[in-house]
Amino acid sequence: MLKNKKALITGASRGIGRAIALDMASNGADIAIVYASNVGAAEETCRCLTEKGVNAFAFQCDVRDDAKVKETVKQAVLALGGLDILVNNSGIVKDGLIPLMKEDHFTSVIDTNLSGAYRMIRHCCMYLMKQGKGRIINISSVVGIMGNAGQSNYAASKAGLIGLTKSVAKELGARGITCNAIAPGFIRTDMTDALEEDTRRALLANLPLGRMGEPEDVAHLASFLASDMASYISGGVYTVDGGMCV
Ligand code: NAP
């Protein structure tokens, strides 16, 4: 489905990003992963990717640093020999009730989750536009659609990603580039492992499918949206949430 495609995936040392990298590699894509600081996890992901018979590269890059993003995109395109797919998946949470939320907890979440995606798109789209085709996939969240008490910073970043997705889809569509967002629900990763048991139980009680999602549930949709089968799909927001958002 993705044979000979070249994909750059942020936040792919762990969790959902890692699952997307593995799924795209299983479908034949060469992969460049970006991570923040977890060298061991990034190397392990790269090892699993190369076992699938594709080329894989890992780049340490904080998506909050524009100069580093620009350089990383350049190096990744060089290593891969081109670029077809960008997945903006890097993300953090810094939860807190709004009266108590410190300004740097608000701005650092926006800077990573939303501005990080903007930086990646800005530097990657030059390459995608030159070849007249490409796929951009932004990992948003159901929280960006529904909101969530205690996550105003995270919700704002994920809602912002949806606006970014729709605008980029309109702007770059004429250049053969699609841009879509995936909004996962409650997915089993390090991010959700950190939740209190009570919160976890309450979330599960309201889930029509009655279980947490697996990172692979998100990854299959990302591979589909990156494939030629999705060439007429752009500007959309697709939930992978076990029915949470209906
Ligand atoms: P995770 O397990 O916590 O992994 C986060 C990834 O982002 C790691 O690879 C981390 O790198 C990277 N990262 C963090 N800050 C970064 C920065 N400043 N620059 C570059 N990379 C950075 O998260 P996850 O649960 O897989 O979530 C992945 C995405 O899905 C996030 O955008 C999240 O908001 C979204 N999402 C998750 C859920 C869920 O239930 N898990 C639901 C909805 C949406 P290191 O390994 O180096 O730290």
Side-chain angles (χ1 to χ4, degrees):
M1 190 157 79
L2 298 175
K3 192 132 191 66
N4 299 324
K5 300 284 187 200
K6 320 282 184 196
L8 174 55
I9 305 166
T10 69
S13 44
R14 298 183 278 126
I16 292 171
R18 175 186 154 95
I20 293 172
L22 289 169
D23 200 75
M24 288 191 175
S26 296
N27 283 293
D30 292 325
I31 310 285
I33 67 166
V34 164
Y35 65 99
S37 59
N38 201 332
V39 190
E43 282 175 353
E44 168 61 10
T45 299
C46 254
R47 197 186 55 72
C48 294
L49 290 168
T50 49
E51 271 178 5
K52 292 183 179 291
V54 302
N55 295 314
F57 310 91
F59 296 91
Q60 189 285 322
C61 169
D62 187 331
V63 297
R64 293 171 299 177
D65 178 342
D66 188 60
K68 184 79 180 173
V69 169
K70 184 177 181 186
E71 183 56 25
T72 299
V73 168
K74 189 175 153 195
Q75 294 305 326
V77 172
L78 261 178
L80 290 167
L83 186 67
D84 303 291
I85 302 157
L86 166 66
V87 182
N88 286 306
N89 165 82
S90 291
I92 57 167
V93 285
K94 285 191 183 176
D95 297 351
L97 297 172
I98 193 85
L100 304 171
M101 187 175 286
K102 295 200 175 75
E103 186 162 343
D104 71 306
H105 279 206
F106 194 88
T107 51
S108 60
V109 168
I110 300 282
D111 201 14
T112 306
N113 300 4
L114 176 57
S115 309
Y118 140 74
R119 292 181 191 103
M120 276 287 165
I121 293 170
R122 176 166 164 246
H123 294 300
C124 285
C125 75
M126 312 308 283
Y127 298 96
L128 301 178
M129 285 194 298
K130 221 179 277 172
Q131 66 181 19
K133 60 181 175 148
R135 297 276 189 275
I136 300 170
I137 299 163
N138 296 320
I139 307 300
S140 177
S141 167
V142 290
V143 170
I145 299 171
M146 304 190 300
N148 195 23
Q151 289 199 305
S152 54
N153 50 358
Y154 184 75
S157 74
K158 294 299 184 178
L161 267 180
I162 291 173
L164 179 69
T165 299
K166 290 178 183 292
S167 302
V168 169
K170 287 191 170 171
E171 198 174 317
L172 300 184
R175 317 297 287 262
I177 299 166
T178 69
C179 184
N180 290 288
I182 298 178
F186 186 28
I187 310 294
R188 191 192 313 274
T189 68
D190 293 347
M191 192 177 269
T192 46
D193 280 352
L195 288 173
E196 303 280 341
E197 199 43 49
D198 285 357
T199 313
R200 178 185 304 274
R201 225 175 286 126
L203 277 166
L204 280 173
N206 289 316
L207 266 178
L209 288 183
R211 69 164 176 92
M212 287 181 82
E214 298 299 331
E216 292 72 21
D217 293 322
V218 180
H220 297 318
L221 177 58
S223 290
F224 169 72
L225 289 173
S227 76
D228 290 344
M229 286 187 282
S231 61
Y232 201 60
I233 299 175
S234 197
V237 184
Y238 303 98
T239 53
V240 180
D241 66 351
M244 187 194 274
C245 235
V246 291

